[in-house]
Amino acid sequence: MQKLFDEVNSLDKRCYEEFLLSEDILMEHASNSMASYINQNLSHKKSILIVCGSGNNGADGIALARLLHKKYNVKLYFASEPKSTMSKLQLQRANALEVEIINEVFEADIIVDCIFGTGLNKPLDGRSTTLLTTLNSYNSYKIACDIPSGINILGQVLTIAFEADVTITMGALKTSLFSDIAKDYTGKIIVVDLGVQREVYEIDSNKFLLDESDLKLPLRDKKNSHKGTYGHLNVIVGCKKGAGIIASSAAFVFGTGLVSAVSHENLDLPQHIMHSHFISENCTAIAIGMGLGKYEIDEIRKILNTKIPKIIDADLFYDKLIVEILDEDVVLTPHPKEFCSLLKLCQLADINVEELQNNRFLYVEKFCKKYPKVVLLLKGANVIISQNEKIYVNSFGNATLSKGGSGDVLSGLIGALLAQGYNPLDATISGSLAHTKAIKNYDKNNYSLTPLDLIEEVKKI
């Protein structure tokens, strides 16, 4: 996994004070890294338009123009007049080389956005909005320097943002690049060094970006084993029976030795899923909430009060009953609307989905600070997983998963790992990564996925 940082100005300052690197040195490495990316991947392109702002993000762009001058048809456009000390210095250097400065943007082969960077702290004005709208309309290859212009430090897009094919971010990964809203603007994200290796530049952080290598599959390496060795998951099946059956099927293919669907109703189950009216005596984990619908409160309270590891999803996030167990080691997997309800039940916030989506990290931190034993997975374009003060982001999901039943598969995967003895955090991280890795192999069109398709792909991980 890789570290995430809410801000990097303090890391830059550390380079100046501890490592005796100047602002000029850091900027030269930033611009050199962008030039290297273009030379290695886009050398067949001919024309480059670099759009610069007044600060040091703009200075990076001016330095880039100097480095690419003559090899490409490079033109500089200033969205605003250079004001920072470094942008004025870089402009003097570019002028000495006679880099061309133009007064109107055009559809170049490559467009590099160096307008605002991470320093944006207010809504865009009309001129900036018009400029970004124009740049986005061009059929160019688009590169964002550090962060696409229009995304602020909280990862919010208040009006419009630059739609990059790739974002080359400097020194370390920024949390703001991994808001749900930012995902449509960042494109591929690449981190480049600023004169020292990332291991030196970075300090401790409580936020992390998950890598696929963080997935810990339930591989069976014991020769002397039986079905009971690998746990028994009980899935509580409610009014919407399909949800529980999907979760049961997903759990079975992800390593748990036994799966029982618990319901007083008749169920049309796959032959390998057992049917029980009550929690099994040898149950090692419980999955509850998926399609639960109307239920007998006393019976559900009894299930929730068992000291068996649990994953809770869906309908229970609308019932104050859930607050009674938030001082336990449980896994919660709400989508944004459900999390808004949960925040209200916990008297932490009374907000709508839009407010949550604009401040996902903030509200996850608030919840996990109050309930440090809970492992929370907030669903979204970038999944956030948190326990206590630590936050992990799974950015591998895509729109293919935006189908009914995908969340039930996720519940089954996490439940399967809980049943096999994974601790709640590891079960949630690996279940989430398996969920997104499975979809990576799906080779049909991105609107056709069914839960059974996803379960089949889980088998191939």
Side-chain angles (χ1 to χ4, degrees), residues 174-435:
K174 288 81 178 173
T175 308
S176 53
L177 291 168
F178 297 96
S179 69
D180 273 13
I181 297 167
K183 194 160 187 173
D184 279 321
Y185 299 95
T186 57
K188 181 181 180 181
I189 299 171
I190 298 172
V191 188
V192 296
D193 296 335
L194 292 177
V196 291
Q197 294 297 310
R198 283 176 69 183
E199 291 81 0
V200 177
Y201 179 81
E202 296 177 346
I203 58 176
D204 289 340
S205 176
N206 70 321
K207 295 184 177 71
F208 304 90
L209 179 70
L210 295 172
D211 295 321
E212 287 192 346
S213 59
D214 295 314
L215 169 60
K216 299 174 183 176
L217 289 169
L219 301 176
R220 298 186 171 193
D221 53 4
K222 291 183 179 180
K223 295 180 180 178
N224 180 23
S225 65
H226 54 84
K227 59 191 176 185
T229 305
Y230 303 105
H232 187 175
L233 177 68
N234 280 203
V235 179
I236 311 303
V237 179
C239 295
K240 299 175 183 176
K241 301 175 184 179
I245 295 172
I246 289 169
S248 300
S249 298
F252 197 87
V253 305
F254 207 45
T256 190
L258 295 164
V259 178
S260 289
V262 180
S263 174
H264 299 310
E265 305 292 329
N266 293 325
L267 300 175
D268 184 14
L269 294 170
Q271 292 179 341
H272 52 275
I273 305 297
M274 297 183 292
H275 184 193
S276 175
H277 294 291
F278 304 99
I279 298 296
S280 308
E281 289 186 5
N282 63 344
C283 174
T284 56
I286 295 171
I288 183 171
M290 307 78 62
L292 199 57
K294 296 180 180 179
Y295 48 85
E296 174 57 48
I297 290 179
D298 289 341
E299 185 173 3
I300 296 301
R301 177 180 276 114
K302 183 178 179 181
I303 293 171
L304 292 178
N305 285 333
T306 60
K307 298 304 179 182
I308 300 171
K310 288 178 283 291
I311 172 173
I312 300 173
D313 190 29
D315 292 341
L316 282 174
F317 298 126
Y318 297 99
D319 194 318
K320 61 183 179 181
L321 186 65
I322 196 171
V323 181
E324 298 177 13
I325 61 161
L326 294 182
D327 59 349
E328 301 177 16
D329 297 321
V330 296
V331 177
L332 309 181
T333 57
H335 60 52
K337 185 178 178 182
E338 292 164 348
F339 190 47
C340 287
S341 174
L342 182 60
L343 289 168
K344 187 174 182 179
L345 289 171
C346 297
Q347 299 181 339
L348 281 169
D350 187 0
I351 57 172
N352 59 26
V353 171
E354 182 180 5
E355 166 66 16
L356 171 64
Q357 290 298 87
N358 274 323
N359 297 279
R360 283 166 62 85
F361 290 98
L362 171 67
Y363 288 108
V364 165
E365 286 176 315
K366 281 188 175 184
F367 180 86
C368 290
K369 183 177 181 180
K370 185 171 182 179
Y371 302 106
K373 290 187 176 181
V374 170
V375 174
L376 174 71
L377 181 151
L378 177 59
K379 296 170 182 173
N382 288 316
V383 173
I384 299 176
I385 299 167
S386 181
Q387 184 180 40
N388 201 347
E389 296 181 350
K390 291 190 175 180
I391 287 180
Y392 307 85
V393 179
N394 178 357
S395 64
F396 295 111
N398 58 47
T400 306
L401 284 169
S402 299
K403 298 289 289 290
S406 293
D408 303 318
V409 172
L410 175 63
S411 294
L413 299 180
I414 296 172
L417 297 182
L418 287 174
Q420 292 170 79
Y422 282 57
N423 68 55
L425 180 60
D426 286 344
T428 305
I429 287 174
S430 288
S432 178
L433 287 172
H435 193 238

Side-chain angles (χ1 to χ4, degrees), residues 137-152:
S137 72
Y138 292 152
N139 188 30
S140 308
Y141 188 89
K142 301 183 180 75
I143 300 172
C145 173
D146 216 14
I147 188 170
S149 290
I151 299 177
N152 67 19

Side-chain angles (χ1 to χ4, degrees), residues 127-146:
R127 186 169 180 269
S128 297
T129 299
T130 300
L131 174 60
L132 288 175
T133 300
T134 301
L135 296 178
N136 287 341
S137 72
Y138 292 152
N139 188 30
S140 308
Y141 188 89
K142 301 183 180 75
I143 300 172
C145 173
D146 216 14

Side-chain angles (χ1 to χ4, degrees), residues 398 436-444 457-458 460-461:
N398 58 47
T436 51
K437 188 168 185 177
I439 200 62
K440 184 177 179 181
N441 300 322
Y442 185 66
D443 58 3
K444 297 180 175 60
E457 295 300 334
V458 169
K460 304 174 187 175
I461 297 175

